[in-house]
Amino acid sequence: MSVLICGGAGYIGSHNIRAFTAHGENVIVIDNLETGHRESIPENIKFYQGDIRDSQILDKIFTENKIEAVIHFCAFSLVGESVEQPLKYFNNNVGGMISLLEAMQRNGIKKIIFSSTAATYGEPKKIPIFETDETIPTNPYGESKRIMEKIIYWVSRRYDIRYVSLRYFNVAGAWHDGSIGEDHIHETHLIPLILQVPLGKREFVTIYGDDYPTKDGTCIRDYVHVEDLAEAHILALEYLRNGGESQIFNLGSGDGYSVMEMINAARKATGQNIPVKIGTRREGDPAKLVADSTKAHEILKWYPKFTNMEEIISSAWKWHQSHPNGYKS
Ligand code: UDP
């Protein structure tokens, strides 16, 4: 039996391919390569280039292979772009989910692990955030993921399909050997942008606001290493294999760090001075997002290994240093 990784050519998907294969699983990948990189998928992995909104390719995959479970990473994920082009997001993210679940139902596939996000919560009323807190997304990206969760919920109630939805906080870092990592055409994430300075690609980092009600005035986030995140998917699959009921879990590393603290950690990790400029706030950025991941600890037995920010940034630095132009290097 195999595991189908949808969106395996993306940042998080590609790390999951490595983790699942290292764990002895047989992995099959589908990706439309619209934002992903073929180079990030090992040569020996069976790969289908196609879109999950195409029911024919899904039926072909489910017919040609014995698939036990689906790990679903296919989605557009840029918050700003989602505000500009909401229909693009709903069509791809929600449309993809419907098509995938229909194909699973047609082909008798009964387990799905879904890549969700802290953006489903919107602006939290209190910190840390629990899975039971209300979800009021503040942008179409977060809304699309929340809708996808609701769709799986209703489908799982009607059909014999069980799911685990994993709400990621800020995913960071790279595979330990530096062979794969984050490579986006339009980079918006803090850590890759910080590391562009020591790479010589930008002169300074702009801090989006230093007047937030936090200890140093900059936003606080919960950064979780992408390898720890992949481990959570393996544990989620084992949980479903053991008959576990459908669940939603937060995945954070347990503590919040400010933008300024992350820049200081990057200065230590790279040994270089990283100049900063204070800019204005970025629209839609909550002051603080920190997960309570107790549920994942207790039920999945998931305990992140990377809780030191310098270590997380060092692993990203190893990837960026060896691939200054991403997969095109
Ligand atoms: N941020 C920043 N400068 C940048 C990019 C991001 O100050 O050039 C801040 C952003 O306001 C947020 C944090 O860094 O508070 C993490 O942003 P990112 O886009 O990495 O993730 P998000 O929290 O938006 O998912």
Side-chain angles (χ1 to χ4, degrees):
M1 294 288 267
S2 301
V3 166
L4 176 65
I5 298 193
C6 302
Y11 169 47
I12 299 172
S14 60
H15 285 78
N16 272 268
I17 296 176
R18 297 288 197 289
F20 273 84
T21 47
H23 193 248
E25 300 286 348
N26 192 30
V27 166
I28 288 164
V29 175
I30 176 171
D31 198 297
N32 64 9
L33 298 183
E34 201 172 322
T35 54
H37 305 275
R38 178 68 181 89
E39 302 88 326
S40 70
I41 304 169
E43 287 295 326
N44 61 341
I45 297 288
K46 192 166 179 186
F47 173 63
Y48 292 83
Q49 184 173 348
D51 195 298
I52 58 164
R53 286 166 296 179
D54 173 0
S55 55
Q56 281 181 357
I57 194 165
L58 289 180
D59 283 342
K60 181 173 153 70
I61 294 172
F62 290 133
T63 308
E64 287 180 359
N65 306 279
K66 279 196 161 49
I67 305 289
E68 177 201 1
V70 171
I71 325 283
H72 179 26
F73 299 103
C74 301
F76 290 139
S77 61
L78 299 178
V79 169
E81 186 186 58
S82 78
V83 175
E84 290 304 313
Q85 302 181 61
L87 290 171
K88 171 177 170 177
Y89 274 65
F90 290 122
N91 186 319
N92 185 63
N93 296 2
V94 178
M97 176 58 97
I98 294 170
S99 167
L100 183 60
L101 289 168
E102 282 173 345
M104 286 175 63
Q105 198 255 327
R106 268 196 311 277
N107 290 278
I109 316 295
K110 298 180 189 311
K111 302 183 193 84
I112 177 166
I113 295 163
F114 171 54
S115 154
S116 186
T117 167
T120 54
Y121 294 110
E123 179 87 40
K125 293 211 171 70
K126 57 178 179 53
I127 295 294
I129 302 172
F130 289 82
E131 290 86 350
T132 46
D133 288 353
E134 64 184 7
T135 48
I136 309 178
T138 50
N139 54 65
Y141 163 64
E143 189 75 80
S144 72
K145 289 275 178 165
R146 184 64 190 121
I147 294 169
M148 292 158 87
E149 283 188 342
K150 288 183 177 177
I151 293 170
I152 315 183
Y153 168 77
W154 289 108
V155 168
S156 74
R157 284 191 51 158
R158 170 65 182 84
Y159 304 110
D160 185 18
I161 289 178
R162 282 173 301 129
Y163 69 89
V164 167
S165 179
L166 299 172
R167 290 184 178 160
Y168 314 153
F169 281 63
N170 287 61
V171 188
W175 195 250
H176 50 267
D177 65 2
S179 61
I180 54 169
E182 212 166 347
D183 178 4
H184 301 120
I185 299 169
H186 302 293
E187 194 50 74
T188 61
H189 293 111
L190 180 66
I191 294 173
L193 286 174
I194 293 175
L195 294 177
Q196 284 183 4
V197 179
L199 279 177
K201 295 183 147 198
R202 74 174 51 232
E203 285 173 12
F204 56 86
V205 183
T206 304
I207 296 179
Y208 297 149
D210 67 348
D211 57 352
Y212 283 95
T214 59
K215 52 192 166 187
D216 61 19
T218 65
C219 286
I220 291 181
R221 294 288 180 273
D222 185 339
Y223 295 88
V224 55
H225 195 283
V226 66
E227 281 196 28
D228 281 328
L229 200 79
E231 183 65 23
H233 293 71
I234 293 170
L235 292 170
L237 179 59
E238 281 169 2
Y239 167 80
L240 290 178
R241 276 181 181 152
N242 291 331
E245 62 184 35
S246 297
Q247 291 280 5
I248 295 177
F249 296 99
N250 283 341
L251 297 180
S253 66
D255 229 330
Y257 292 89
S258 73
V259 173
M260 205 55 236
E261 286 174 325
M262 295 307 282
I263 293 167
N264 283 330
R267 286 173 173 150
K268 284 195 192 145
T270 62
Q272 295 196 40
N273 179 34
I274 298 173
V276 300
K277 284 196 179 165
I278 306 299
T280 52
R281 289 183 176 197
R282 186 171 65 178
E283 204 187 314
D285 269 344
K288 250 179 151 183
L289 286 177
V290 180
D292 183 292
S293 304
T294 311
K295 189 175 167 189
H297 303 329
E298 288 180 350
I299 297 180
L300 295 181
K301 308 292 174 215
W302 177 72
Y303 295 97
K305 295 180 187 72
F306 291 86
T307 50
N308 177 311
M309 295 304 110
E310 213 181 303
E311 270 182 53
I312 292 185
I313 295 173
S314 290
S315 81
W317 182 227
K318 192 169 174 178
W319 151 254
H320 287 291
Q321 256 186 319
S322 56
H323 300 79
N325 298 311
Y327 288 101
K328 299 286 168 275
S329 301

